[in-house]
Amino acid sequence: MDPHNIARSIEHTLLRPDADLERIAKICSEASSYGFRSVCVNPVHVAHCSLLLQGSGVGVCAVVGFPLGASKTVVKAIEAEQAIGDGAREVDMVMNVGWLKSGCRQDVLSDVRQVAYMAHGSGALIKVIIETALLNDDEKRLACTICLEAGADFVKTSTGFLAGATPDDVRLIREAVGGRAGIKASGGIKDYAAVLAMIAAGADRIGTSHGVAIMAEAALAAGRS
C-alpha cells in the first residue's frame, strides 16, 4: 500500500497522563514530517498543538469525556466547545457505556447528539468511541445505530486503555454503519501488518502511538514491491 495513503490514515496519538510538553512537541514534529492526518491529544494540549502545527496540513483531534465516558453530557459538550475553540477540528467523545449496557438508549442518544451538535455547529467532526472490549456484538450494533442516529461522523473502536481494536470488530462496525459513517480503529495497533488488517476490515482512520515505526515498515514494504 502507498505509504502516503497509510500516513493520511494515521492519527498520531499521545493520551498518556504523564505526557509532558516536550513529548507533545515531538509528536507534532513527527506528524508534520510524515504527513499524518492529525495528532490526537487530551484537551489541555490542543492550543499548543494547534500553534505548533499551523500551516502543516496536520489537524488536531481532542478527546472528550475520556477515558470513561461517564461525564455529564453538559460537561462533554463544554469540553468539546473549548477544544474546538482552541483549534481542534475533530473531537473523539467516549460513549456512556454504562448507560448503553443498562438499556438507557435515549440517554445515550441524547449524550452523543448534544456533543455532535456542538461539534458540527463549529465546523468540527465528531467520532464516538464505543469501547468494543466492554460490549457484546448486539451491544456494538446498538451503539453503531445510536451513533448514526445522533449524527456521528465516525465510530471509533476503543480508548486504548482497555483491549484495543480487532479486525472482527471493525468488520462488525462496517456492516452496521455501511457507508454512512467512517470507522477509526484504535488501541493496540503497533505495526504495519495490523494497519493493513484494519484497513482491509473497513477502517478509514488508524489511531496509534506507533506511527513512526509503522511508516518505517511501510517504506520497507514499498521498496520490496
Side-chain angles (χ1 to χ4, degrees):
M1 189 171 181
D2 184 347
H4 174 74
N5 292 335
I6 292 289
R8 292 305 294 166
S9 75
I10 289 176
E11 298 188 25
H12 201 32
T13 302
L14 180 55
L15 297 169
R16 292 177 56 92
D18 60 347
D20 58 25
L21 293 178
E22 182 178 353
R23 292 173 71 189
I24 291 294
K26 182 180 179 183
I27 69 160
C28 289
S29 176
E30 290 168 346
S32 181
S33 295
Y34 286 97
F36 291 147
R37 171 73 61 173
S38 68
V39 296
C40 184
V41 295
N42 284 299
V44 70
H45 298 303
V46 168
H48 186 49
C49 291
S50 297
L51 181 63
L52 292 175
L53 291 168
Q54 189 171 11
S56 69
V58 178
V60 180
C61 171
V63 291
V64 166
F66 192 86
L68 301 179
S71 305
K72 291 180 73 69
T73 300
V74 66
V75 175
K76 290 181 181 179
I78 291 171
E79 192 173 24
E81 180 182 33
Q82 294 198 351
I84 294 166
D86 285 341
R89 297 276 63 86
E90 300 186 358
V91 170
D92 289 12
M93 72 165 288
V94 186
M95 179 177 280
N96 190 315
V97 178
W99 278 353
L100 183 80
K101 294 183 76 70
S102 299
C104 303
R105 187 187 192 284
Q106 286 304 122
D107 292 320
V108 179
L109 176 62
S110 177
D111 188 55
V112 177
R113 180 176 278 160
Q114 289 186 52
V115 180
Y117 179 82
M118 173 63 68
H120 291 158
S122 301
L125 297 179
I126 179 79
K127 309 188 205 86
V128 181
I129 305 169
I130 65 173
E131 201 67 283
T132 51
L134 298 178
L135 306 178
N136 62 40
D137 285 355
D138 286 341
E139 289 167 338
K140 292 167 193 172
R141 293 185 184 96
L142 175 59
C144 290
T145 298
I146 291 171
C147 288
L148 291 176
E149 190 173 340
D153 300 292
F154 284 79
V155 177
K156 179 177 172 182
T157 60
S158 322
T159 60
F161 279 61
L162 300 172
T166 69
D168 285 345
D169 281 336
V170 172
R171 277 189 286 271
L172 183 151
I173 294 169
R174 178 54 70 199
E175 290 171 3
V177 304
R180 294 172 288 174
I183 300 173
K184 179 177 173 181
S186 63
I189 303 172
K190 298 179 179 180
D191 55 37
Y192 180 58
V195 171
L196 292 182
M198 295 301 171
I199 292 174
D204 304 288
R205 302 277 189 90
I206 304 295
T208 181
S209 58
H210 298 271
V212 172
I214 288 166
M215 291 307 299
E217 291 186 62
L220 284 174
R224 290 194 296 266
S225 62

